[in-house]
């Protein structure tokens, strides 16, 4: 009976466990033994329901099983996981499991998204460590701790009688330095315990630094080439495979491909360069005392910086079309490298000219260095120059003038970039009403015949116009060409004469020419001026012109152009009760922040038009008084004359203006604009 019972059990086992017969016949070598977990899974499945359990198997530090080339041990472990579907495996490590990729077929037994749908590319959810969130897939890429999680972990990690051993202020320092990296928190806890064992109470200053051990732990399972790439890309804010490979000076991308799979390399698929190092890893690799066997010498870092700088220049030059994002990104990273490692400007000179050519003015300067506040190198000077130019849209012009003067005084820039600083200083001084200084700067740039010579000649035409010498301004405008923005200069000459239709046509021609040349800033500025002059003559059509100007200025840092658009909207509503005074008061305050004298004068002129349409002579007189105060230096003094013309009066305190025709015709045109608006408002009642 016993023999029959054993035979019956054997038959049932062979029938129920399909691999049993093959395993019994196979030689018990390592390959055959790796299939034995199937027998355990079968036994677990046969347990009664009330005794059934789900084993949890933890496989920690999985990166130690081998590398991405030699997968023999990984093959055996993967086979165990596959053969035990009724067990719960927790596999942790610093590298992503690749079992869901079809390309591994032949290296491992079970591969591809059909075998491992939760590991396939695109199905990997991210979970924040310590948040308690449940992941929706089979593989979870652990992210950084939040500040709250850092503090909670440190408070719970070391406690006595339920109270944290690590004080609040120390926890704050550790959390801030960690960037949420769990490894940094663990190292900080170990350091805390070491200090206490030495008989001293830990202080906040003990943790305000990077851990060299963080480098060793990070580099421990990287190949030599991967470590080389890691150090190279630590010089970059962001990178792609081509940039990383070129920065490392390697002939192939394989090490960079392997590196980007590491969890300390973050990916932003919408970024100009999709990859960047975790902030703490980057600062530690660059700044800590690296005692690894293949640590870099200062010369190694210098050569990597030179390679990275050259690679950025190659990417910028290879960019197709007018890729503004690529230009700004390359400039920002290239300036940082050139400044930190005292490199020659090289391609940065041409890139700087491209940057100013579009008049968009995005922030471009790299973060300031803590160890060097002074401007000591050409890269320092160029970074300060471009920063001043971009910030001038958000700062008072006096601040811009001071910064540009400081750059010029260093004498660190090459001649053509020095002229760039001189030109924009002259523009700032013109905006501030310092016409004599502006004239000297513009004349200097025009005489040297450089890239900004045409722009400087335009500046001289503007200076003649603001002084009221319109014949000289007109003669200069005829010689400017596109580079000198001749159409916009002509529009600027026509509208003070009340020739709004001619001015609007000139501004439209300027906008179209800017579109042909792909200069976004000039296009927006020309359209804003067109909207402003048409607001005097065609208020019913001005809405479309104002909206187009607002659309074109979107995304550009052009504060004065934005002010022009708002003044166009105010002029469009002149004579109505649409909160003109309140809107003007707000705009006046905004203009005062910029320090641009002409903008304030134009606003007061628009307000005088509003008062003239309403026959409010008291309001107009107050506006004329403000205009005389704003133009007491002589520039734009004829604006007060124009305000008198709107009221049908002679100029009164005559300015030194030289009109293109006689004063009476100019006065008649301005008065006609007022009476036409009055008739328009009466017709609409």
């Amino acid at each position: 009976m016993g023999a029959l019972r054993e035979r019956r059990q054997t038959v049932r086992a062979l029938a129920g466990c399909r691999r049993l017969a093959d395993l019994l016949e196979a030689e018990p070598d390592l390959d055959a033994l790796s299939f034995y977990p199937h027998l355990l899974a079968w036994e677990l499945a046969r347990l009664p329901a009330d005794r059934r359990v789900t084993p949890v198997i933890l496989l920690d530090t999985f990166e130690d099983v081998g590398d991405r080339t030699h997968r023999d041990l990984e093959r055996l472990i993967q086979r165990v996981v596959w053969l035990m579907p009724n067990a719960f495996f927790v596999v942790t490590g610093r590298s992503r499991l690749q079992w869901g990729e079809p390309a591994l077929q032949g290296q491992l037994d079970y591969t591809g998204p059909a075998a491992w749908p939760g590991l396939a590319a695109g199905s990997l959810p991210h979970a924040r460590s310590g948040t308690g969130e449940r992941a929706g897939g089979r593989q979870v890429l652990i992210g950084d701790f939040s500040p709250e999680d850092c503090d909670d972990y440190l408070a719970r990690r070391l406690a006595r009688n339920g109270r944290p051993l690590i004080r609040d202020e120390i926890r704050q320092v550790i959390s801030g330095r960690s960037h949420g990296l769990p490894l940094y928190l663990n190292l900080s806890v170990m350091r805390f315990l070491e200090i206490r064992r030495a008989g001293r109470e830990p202080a906040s200053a003990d943790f305000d630094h990077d851990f060299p051990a963080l480098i060793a732990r990070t580099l421990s399972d990287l190949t030599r080439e991967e470590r080389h790439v890691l150090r190279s890309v630590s010089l970059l804010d962001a990178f792609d495979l081509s940039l990383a490979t070129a920065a490392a000076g390697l002939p192939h991308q394989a090490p960079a491909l392997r590196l980007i799979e590491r969890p300390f390399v973050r990916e932003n698929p919408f970024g100009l360069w999709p990859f960047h190092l975790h902030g703490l890893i980057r600062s530690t690799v660059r700044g800590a005392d690296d005692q690894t066997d293949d640590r870099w010498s200062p010369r190694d870092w210098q050569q990597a910086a030179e390679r990275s700088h050259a690679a950025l220049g190659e990417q910028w030059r290879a960019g197709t079309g007018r890729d503004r994002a690529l230009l700004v990104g390359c400039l920002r990273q290239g300036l940082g490298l050139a400044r930190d490692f005292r490199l020659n400007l090289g391609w940065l000179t041409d890139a700087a000219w491209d940057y100013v050519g579009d008049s968009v003015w995005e922030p471009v300067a790299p973060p300031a260095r803590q160890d060097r506040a002074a401007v000591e190198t050409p890269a320092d000077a160029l970074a300060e120059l471009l920063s001043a130019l971009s910030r001038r849209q958000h700062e008072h012009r006096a601040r811009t003038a001071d910064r540009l003067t400081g750059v010029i005084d260093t004498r660190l820039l090459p001649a053509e970039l020095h002229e760039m600083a001189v030109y924009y200083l002259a523009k700032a001084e013109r905006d501030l009403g310092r016409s004599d200084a502006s004239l000297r700067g513009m004349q200097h740039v025009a005489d040297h015949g450089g890239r900004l010579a045409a722009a400087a000649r335009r500046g001289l035409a503007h200076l003649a116009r603001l002084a009221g010498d319109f014949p000289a301004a007109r003669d200069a405008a005829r010689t400017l060409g596109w580079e000198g923005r001749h159409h916009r200069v002509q529009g600027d000459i026509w509208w003070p004469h009340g020739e709004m239709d001619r001015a609007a046509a000139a501004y439209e021609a300027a906008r179209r020419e800017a579109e042909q040349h792909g200069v976004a800033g000039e296009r927006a500025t020309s359209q804003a001026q067109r909207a402003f002059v048409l607001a005097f003559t065609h208020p019913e059509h001005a809405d479309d012109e104002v909206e187009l100007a607002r659309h074109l200025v979107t995304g550009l840092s052009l504060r004065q152009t934005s002010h022009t658009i708002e003044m166009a909207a105010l002029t469009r509503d002149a004579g109505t009760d649409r909160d003109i005074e309140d809107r003007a008061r707000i705009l006046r305050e905004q203009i005062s922040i910029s320090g641009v004298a002409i903008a304030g004068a134009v606003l007061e002129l628009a307000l005088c038009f509003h008062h003239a349409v309403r026959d409010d002579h008291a309001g107009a007189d107050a506006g004329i008084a403000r205009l005389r105060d704003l133009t007491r230096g002589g520039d734009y003094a004829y604006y007060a004359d124009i305000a008198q013309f709107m009221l049908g009066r002679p100029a009164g305190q005559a300015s030194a203006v030289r009109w293109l025709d006689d004063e009476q015709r100019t006065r008649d045109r301005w008065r006609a604009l007022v009476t036409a608006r009055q008739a328009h408002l009466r017709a609409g009642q």
Side-chain angles (χ1 to χ4, degrees):
M1 290 297 293
L4 289 174
R5 189 178 299 111
E6 290 179 4
R7 176 179 174 77
R8 189 179 300 112
Q9 291 174 346
T10 301
V11 171
R12 289 176 178 173
L14 290 170
C17 183
R18 60 187 180 88
R19 289 190 176 92
L20 178 58
D22 294 334
L23 290 174
L24 291 175
E25 294 179 2
E27 291 293 329
D29 55 15
L30 184 62
D31 192 62
L33 290 173
S34 67
F35 284 94
Y36 275 48
H38 173 72
L39 304 180
L40 177 58
W42 181 71
E43 290 286 356
L44 291 171
R46 285 168 45 84
L47 291 173
D50 59 343
R51 298 178 57 191
R52 190 163 298 166
V53 295
T54 301
V56 178
I57 299 99
L58 175 62
L59 303 175
D60 196 11
T61 61
F62 195 74
E63 65 274 4
D64 292 338
V65 303
D67 55 38
R68 296 292 173 84
T69 303
H70 303 93
R71 297 180 180 268
D72 297 335
L73 180 55
E74 183 180 2
R75 183 189 191 103
L76 298 177
I77 294 176
Q78 190 220 33
R79 188 178 295 165
V80 171
V81 177
W82 176 263
L83 293 172
M84 298 187 67
N86 50 358
F88 186 79
F89 284 86
V90 180
V91 183
T92 64
R94 291 195 289 268
S95 302
R96 179 175 63 87
L97 286 178
Q98 297 178 306
W99 298 349
E101 298 180 8
L104 291 182
Q105 186 175 4
Q107 297 185 65
L108 301 175
D109 290 339
Y110 312 100
T111 59
W116 307 96
L119 303 184
S123 65
L124 306 181
H126 288 258
R128 295 184 68 100
S129 298
T131 61
E133 298 177 2
R134 295 184 61 188
R138 296 283 297 280
Q139 180 166 210
V140 179
L141 304 182
I142 302 298
D144 298 335
F145 278 47
S146 67
E148 296 80 9
D149 290 338
C150 289
D151 187 76
D152 183 67
Y153 172 82
L154 293 170
R156 294 171 180 268
R157 180 67 174 78
L158 296 177
R160 176 179 293 165
N161 300 325
R163 301 186 63 180
L165 282 179
I166 305 177
R167 300 194 308 273
D168 289 347
E169 61 272 19
I170 297 178
R171 296 203 305 271
Q172 290 177 7
V173 171
I174 296 174
S175 298
R177 296 283 299 186
S178 73
H179 291 261
L181 192 69
L183 176 56
Y184 187 94
L185 301 178
N186 285 332
L187 292 172
S188 298
V189 169
M190 293 168 59
R191 178 168 178 78
F192 184 89
L193 292 174
E194 289 173 359
I195 294 173
R196 284 175 61 91
R197 291 191 191 104
R200 182 169 65 85
E201 186 64 24
S204 300
D206 294 322
F207 301 90
D208 193 15
H209 60 80
D210 295 323
F211 287 103
L214 189 61
I215 300 179
R217 295 280 291 274
T218 302
L219 304 182
S220 61
D221 60 329
L222 299 180
T223 66
R224 186 180 185 87
E225 285 187 327
E226 289 167 355
R227 293 195 295 273
H228 186 75
V229 176
L230 174 63
R231 290 189 173 97
S232 300
V233 298
S234 71
L235 298 172
L236 299 168
D237 298 330
F239 57 91
D240 57 16
L241 287 174
S242 298
L243 189 55
T245 303
L250 297 177
H252 49 277
Q253 293 185 345
L257 275 169
R258 295 194 300 269
L259 184 72
I260 63 173
E261 294 185 352
R262 302 291 177 169
F264 51 77
V265 177
R266 306 302 166 84
E267 181 176 8
N268 175 14
F270 304 106
L272 176 62
W273 294 287
F275 306 110
H276 64 276
L277 288 182
H278 184 283
L280 179 60
I281 298 297
R282 184 186 179 203
S283 65
T284 304
V285 168
R286 289 191 61 177
D289 184 14
D290 185 353
Q291 294 300 315
T292 54
D293 290 340
D294 58 349
R295 61 185 179 274
W296 277 9
S297 69
R299 181 56 185 159
D300 292 329
W301 284 107
Q302 183 72 23
Q303 290 176 334
E306 292 170 359
R307 291 193 301 266
S308 301
H309 187 261
L312 286 166
E314 290 172 4
Q315 282 208 0
W316 168 62
R317 290 192 173 99
T320 57
R322 301 181 66 88
D323 191 334
R324 187 74 184 179
L326 179 63
L327 168 65
V328 172
C330 289
L331 258 177
R332 187 176 291 124
Q333 295 214 71
L335 279 171
L337 287 167
R339 181 196 62 189
D340 295 349
F341 291 89
R342 300 177 180 270
L343 306 178
N344 294 328
L345 293 181
W347 60 270
L348 288 172
T349 297
D350 289 336
W353 282 108
D354 271 19
Y355 172 75
V356 301
D358 283 346
S359 301
V360 179
W361 310 120
E362 312 94 321
V364 71
R369 286 194 58 168
Q370 300 300 319
D371 61 338
R372 192 170 77 235
V375 177
E376 300 176 357
T377 68
D380 288 325
L382 181 56
E384 175 65 8
L385 169 60
L386 297 183
S387 175
L389 296 185
S390 63
R391 287 296 303 165
R392 73 194 178 107
Q393 303 297 329
H394 310 283
E395 295 177 337
H396 196 281
R397 283 296 193 271
R399 169 62 176 157
T400 301
D402 289 343
R403 295 181 69 180
L404 292 175
T405 299
V407 171
I408 292 169
D409 289 345
T410 65
R411 299 289 175 177
L412 289 170
L413 290 174
E416 56 182 329
L417 291 177
H418 178 81
E419 288 194 11
M420 180 191 292
V422 172
Y423 169 76
Y424 281 101
L425 173 59
K427 285 192 67 174
E429 288 172 328
R430 184 190 69 201
D431 291 339
L432 291 167
R434 304 170 185 171
S435 297
D436 291 341
S438 179
L439 179 62
R440 288 192 296 271
M442 292 294 182
Q443 194 66 60
H444 171 85
V445 176
D447 290 344
H448 280 72
R451 298 198 201 192
L452 287 172
R457 290 195 296 272
R458 179 179 77 242
L460 294 173
H462 282 318
L463 288 168
R465 176 176 58 85
L466 61 88
D469 191 350
F470 286 104
R474 178 187 58 189
D475 292 343
R478 291 169 176 168
T479 68
L480 295 178
W482 152 247
E483 292 82 0
R485 310 298 191 257
H486 56 148
H487 289 307
R488 179 155 63 88
V489 174
Q490 290 169 0
D492 292 342
I493 293 171
W494 286 122
W495 80 257
H497 289 80
E499 296 271 17
M500 300 306 183
D501 289 338
R502 295 180 73 173
Y507 288 134
E508 184 177 24
R511 188 197 69 208
R512 290 178 176 174
E513 203 166 40
E515 288 172 348
Q516 294 171 1
H517 289 83
V519 182
E522 176 64 20
R523 180 181 61 176
T525 298
S526 298
Q527 176 57 32
Q529 290 294 131
R530 174 176 167 81
F532 175 69
V533 298
L534 289 178
F536 283 97
T537 55
H538 302 90
E540 67 280 6
H541 299 146
D543 279 338
D544 291 340
E545 301 294 338
V546 168
E547 288 307 311
L548 176 58
R550 284 175 173 157
H551 170 72
L552 295 180
V553 84
T554 300
L556 308 181
S557 295
L558 296 172
R559 183 164 60 174
Q560 188 172 340
T561 299
S562 298
H563 291 161
T564 301
I565 296 170
E566 295 309 312
M567 286 187 279
L570 189 146
T571 304
R572 174 199 60 196
D573 298 336
T576 70
D577 57 356
R578 298 174 185 170
D579 299 323
I580 301 295
E581 294 286 353
D582 289 340
R583 289 159 58 189
R585 188 178 302 110
I586 294 171
L587 190 53
R588 189 181 291 118
E589 292 174 358
Q590 293 173 345
I591 290 172
S592 68
I593 296 173
S594 69
V596 180
I598 178 56
V602 173
L603 173 61
E604 298 302 335
L605 190 63
L607 272 176
C608 286
F609 180 67
H610 167 70
H611 293 309
V613 171
R614 295 171 69 92
D615 284 327
D616 180 3
H617 286 254
D621 288 340
I624 291 171
R626 287 192 294 271
L627 275 172
R628 295 199 187 283
D629 185 60
L630 287 170
T631 61
R632 69 164 62 95
D635 295 341
Y636 304 107
Y638 54 87
Y639 277 19
D641 297 350
I642 293 173
Q644 296 278 19
F645 298 162
M646 293 177 186
L647 298 168
R649 304 172 183 172
Q653 299 180 18
S655 63
V657 62
R658 295 177 59 207
W659 302 105
L660 294 179
D661 47 20
D662 61 77
E663 179 183 305
Q664 183 62 45
R665 291 185 180 181
T666 302
R667 180 165 61 237
D668 291 345
R669 283 191 290 266
W670 277 106
R671 183 58 186 169
L673 291 173
V674 173
T675 56
R677 177 62 60 89
Q678 291 171 335
H680 172 76
L681 293 175
R682 285 194 299 269
Q685 291 178 350

